[in-house]
Amino acid sequence: SGRTQGRILTILVDHLTRRFGSHEAVSSLRFDVQSGSIFGLLGANGAGKTTTLRMLATLLQPSSGTARVGGHSILESPLEVRRSLGYLTGDTGLYGRLTPLETLRYFGGLYGMKKAELEERISWLTNGLSLSPFLEQRCERLSTGQRQRVSIARALIHDPRVIVFDEPTSGLDIISSQFILDVLREEREKGKTVLFSTHILAEAELICDVIGVLHQGEMLSIGSPEETMERWKATSLTRALLNASTMVQVEGGVP
């Protein structure tokens, strides 16, 4: 990981760009995330959040630019990046014929976890995410919220150094959502690096140390929640985001 004035940077993004045909979904993004912090990526649908996170998780090749995650290049060492990463996105499917317990044991095995360590981790995640009532039901029978909780447990099973979550509380009730936010806070306290996107701006306000505002593939601003609100002359993040997109559209570019 790079170092800047004593800070350990776990994610370094350098001019990351992704085009789909003539459409530039992500334009020359530059930002970093230091260990022991939570970085929230905010923006409307189509802002480029999911595309950015998919590139960092090595699921999508950038058109140009690069990034380092946990000291590893997404272009040169994708497997090392994946080992250090706990990644969650809305379209990560679960294998319907496996139970949540079988799923967690299978993925723990893939990460080379020892049996005792794996069972202890499963127990912690089962308690925290309230998986017990459906731990031995097939995943194909689970509700959306239950599937989301299993997907989160799967992403965290190997105790990853870097957590990249795309809309982690989507489809969850308030109790499950609260647990997710508590987990992200706990992971930060352990010195982990957390990068996540959300539509629920009250969540970002609650737990983010740094916020990046994305609009049509461009990073408009990076700063603490307070700095972001001040930058966009707002008293809430929701208003800040609205002001940012309005000002950009009116002025025709990043002010």
Side-chain angles (χ1 to χ4, degrees):
S1 316
R3 278 181 183 267
T4 306
Q5 299 167 338
R7 298 183 308 147
I8 300 173
L9 305 177
T10 311
I11 299 175
L12 287 156
V13 178
D14 186 17
H15 291 98
L16 203 58
T17 300
R18 175 66 199 205
R19 284 179 289 277
F20 295 99
S22 60
H23 172 60
E24 199 160 81
V26 171
S27 305
S28 201
L29 288 191
R30 297 183 70 191
F31 66 93
D32 57 62
V33 188
Q34 65 184 91
S35 56
S37 74
I38 299 178
F39 187 111
L41 207 51
L42 306 188
N45 279 340
K49 303 188 300 294
T50 297
T51 302
T52 301
L53 299 184
R54 283 176 67 82
M55 285 192 283
L56 293 178
T58 73
L59 298 179
L60 195 60
Q61 282 276 96
S63 303
S64 60
T66 187
R68 297 182 77 78
V69 176
H72 306 289
S73 162
I74 61 170
L75 298 177
E76 292 157 25
S77 313
L79 281 177
E80 292 303 321
V81 169
R82 290 181 190 193
R83 281 197 186 100
S84 67
L85 200 65
Y87 176 68
L88 173 83
T89 185
D91 56 11
T92 335
L94 293 169
Y95 185 59
R97 295 177 71 85
L98 290 183
T99 66
L101 182 59
E102 289 165 342
T103 301
L104 295 178
R105 283 180 176 155
Y106 175 71
F107 277 88
L110 284 185
Y111 284 109
M113 295 176 74
K114 293 190 170 70
K115 192 162 188 269
E117 173 199 17
L118 175 56
E119 293 304 316
E120 192 179 315
R121 189 80 180 154
I122 288 173
S123 173
W124 181 77
L125 289 164
T126 298
N127 291 336
L129 282 161
S130 306
L131 304 181
S132 296
F134 51 90
L135 194 61
E136 304 207 31
Q137 284 180 34
R138 282 187 178 182
C139 288
E140 64 194 5
R141 297 192 186 138
L142 304 184
S143 70
T144 305
Q146 290 170 336
R147 281 170 187 250
Q148 181 75 336
R149 285 189 266 167
V150 176
S151 295
I152 286 161
R154 183 180 74 176
L156 295 175
I157 190 67
H158 58 304
D159 201 12
R161 286 176 53 198
V162 186
I163 295 163
V164 175
F165 277 6
D166 191 10
E167 303 282 350
T169 60
S170 173
L172 293 185
D173 60 48
I174 195 163
I175 293 166
S176 300
S177 297
Q178 190 55 54
F179 174 74
I180 304 310
L181 299 182
D182 289 343
V183 164
L184 295 182
R185 281 198 193 96
E186 281 173 30
E187 298 295 277
R188 170 180 61 193
E189 295 310 310
K190 293 181 199 164
K192 303 288 184 66
T193 304
V194 180
L195 171 63
F196 84 112
S197 74
T198 182
H199 276 102
I200 304 164
L201 302 184
E203 290 181 354
E205 219 162 314
L206 273 175
I207 71 165
C208 290
D209 302 298
V210 182
I211 281 169
V213 176
L214 261 187
H215 177 73
Q216 294 180 354
E218 294 190 25
M219 190 73 85
L220 299 188
S221 66
I222 296 174
S224 67
E226 297 73 27
E227 288 165 345
T228 303
M229 289 186 269
E230 190 179 324
R231 167 79 175 81
W232 300 107
K233 301 176 175 53
T235 52
S236 71
L237 279 184
T238 304
R239 176 50 62 188
L241 216 61
L242 288 169
N243 289 357
S245 58
T246 307
M247 285 164 74
V248 169
Q249 280 157 4
V250 168
E251 297 172 25
V254 181

